[in-house]
């Protein structure tokens, strides 16, 4: 420590002059506050100014283990995989919707909203989703994904997913990031089990997977172009 520096640093454990017993032994448990402070002061004085850590270089070579789910989406049924051009067009359309939503958000927030239309059972009206902050968007998205895990996919549910994705701000919060990946995987599961090969429903599921993977940069979940 440089000369004069010690005066600039406050003493955390000042010990003034005090009468300590002649038989004071710093190696035994202190009996008084004065003995405790004196013992701490003695121990601190014995500490070296510089401590060098002894590190085994062999342990540094071990790579840390990180548990990350890398499973992708299940492939689309044969003949129903979207083309790259179609996916690019959906991303462009979605981007335009997000820009329009942000542009008119203040207007819709200023409009009167009846208290009975705030439930999810209603369509995702701009007057509703424009009032949602990111915490609310994430909460509703989590609820619907959980519901979707046990129920069938419907056009109404698809519209809500589309609207909520349009409201998500980038960069994604960790929770939102996990949720949309969960959503894309669930869509691929439902799509793979689609027995009737309903083209409209498969297209809707393709759209959600496309937006999650290509707009929100989860490329490992993207459908391979047909």
């Amino acid at each position: 420590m440089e000369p004069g520096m010690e005066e600039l640093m406050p003493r955390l454990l000042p010990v003034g002059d005090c009468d300590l017993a002649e038989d004071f032994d710093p190696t035994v448990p202190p009996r008084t506050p004065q003995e405790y402070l004196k013992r701490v002061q003695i121990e601190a004085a014995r500490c070296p100014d510089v401590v060098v850590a002894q590190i085994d270089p062999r342990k540094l070579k071990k790579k840390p283990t990180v548990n990350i789910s890398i499973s992708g989406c299940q492939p689309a049924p044969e003949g129903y995989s979207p083309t790259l051009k179609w996916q690019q067009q959906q991303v462009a359309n979605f981007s335009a919707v997000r820009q329009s939503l942000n542009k008119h958000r203040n207007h819709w927030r200023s409009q009167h909203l009846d208290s009975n239309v705030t439930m999810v059972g209603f369509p995702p009206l701009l007057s509703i989703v424009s009032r949602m902050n990111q915490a609310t968007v994430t909460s509703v998205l989590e609820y619907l994904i959980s519901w979707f895990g046990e129920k069938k996919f419907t056009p109404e549910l698809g519209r809500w997913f589309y609207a909520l994705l349009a409201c998500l701000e980038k960069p994604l919060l960790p929770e939102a990031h996990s949720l949309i990946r969960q959503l894309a995987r669930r869509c691929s599961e439902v799509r793979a089990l689609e027995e009737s090969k309903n083209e409209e429903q498969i297209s809707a599921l393709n759209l959600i997977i496309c937006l999650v993977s290509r707009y929100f940069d989860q490329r490992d979940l993207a459908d391979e172009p047909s």
Side-chain angles (χ1 to χ4, degrees):
M1 185 176 293
E2 297 180 4
M5 183 65 69
E6 187 174 359
E7 285 104 8
L8 299 178
M9 301 176 65
R11 297 177 62 188
L12 298 182
L13 294 171
V15 178
D17 296 332
C18 58
D19 295 329
L20 295 175
E22 294 182 0
D23 60 346
F24 170 69
D25 184 355
T27 64
V28 300
R31 294 167 296 181
T32 66
Q34 289 79 10
E35 287 185 359
Y36 170 77
L37 293 175
K38 187 64 177 178
R39 180 178 176 179
V40 172
Q41 190 181 49
I42 293 173
E43 292 177 352
R46 292 174 179 172
C47 293
D49 292 336
V50 178
V51 179
V52 179
Q54 299 299 322
I55 301 176
D56 186 351
R58 292 173 299 179
K59 295 182 179 180
L60 298 178
K61 295 180 181 180
K62 295 182 179 180
K63 296 181 179 181
T65 301
V66 180
N67 294 322
I68 301 177
S69 175
I70 58 176
S71 59
C73 289
Q74 297 186 27
E78 186 176 355
Y80 289 88
S81 181
T83 65
L84 179 59
K85 182 178 180 180
W86 182 88
Q87 294 183 66
Q88 292 173 336
Q89 184 61 53
Q90 301 312 311
V91 169
N93 294 343
F94 182 69
S95 179
V97 169
R98 286 171 60 90
Q99 292 177 11
S100 179
L101 176 62
N102 289 331
K103 181 178 180 181
H104 299 289
R105 191 182 298 274
N106 291 334
H107 166 75
W108 288 108
R109 282 178 176 174
S110 66
Q111 300 302 304
H112 175 71
L113 180 66
D114 293 336
S115 59
N116 67 331
V117 298
T118 58
M119 302 300 293
V120 179
F122 283 80
L125 305 174
L126 279 175
S127 55
I128 296 177
V129 297
S130 295
R131 286 171 164 78
M132 292 183 177
N133 57 28
Q134 289 301 288
T136 302
V137 171
T138 302
S139 295
V140 176
L141 187 60
E142 181 178 14
Y143 171 81
L144 291 181
I145 291 174
S146 177
W147 188 89
F148 183 32
E150 302 176 356
K151 305 294 183 179
K152 294 182 179 180
F153 182 82
T154 63
E156 293 76 17
L157 184 61
R159 284 192 284 270
W160 265 103
F161 282 141
Y162 190 94
L164 291 172
L165 290 176
C167 291
L168 282 179
E169 296 178 358
K170 296 176 70 175
L172 294 174
L173 297 175
E175 184 177 0
H177 176 269
S178 176
L179 285 172
I180 65 171
R181 290 182 63 85
Q182 182 181 343
L183 172 60
R185 291 195 184 99
R186 177 56 181 163
C187 286
S188 74
E189 293 172 0
V190 173
R191 182 181 62 180
L193 297 174
E194 178 61 38
E195 297 179 355
S196 63
K197 298 297 184 291
N198 184 314
E199 185 172 351
E200 182 176 349
Q201 176 153 310
I202 291 180
S203 180
L205 295 168
N206 285 348
L207 174 59
I208 295 175
I209 296 171
C210 169
L211 298 180
V212 170
S213 62
R214 298 194 179 274
Y215 184 85
F216 290 101
D217 302 318
Q218 308 302 308
R219 297 305 175 92
D220 60 305
L221 303 179
D223 283 315
E224 292 297 330
S226 57

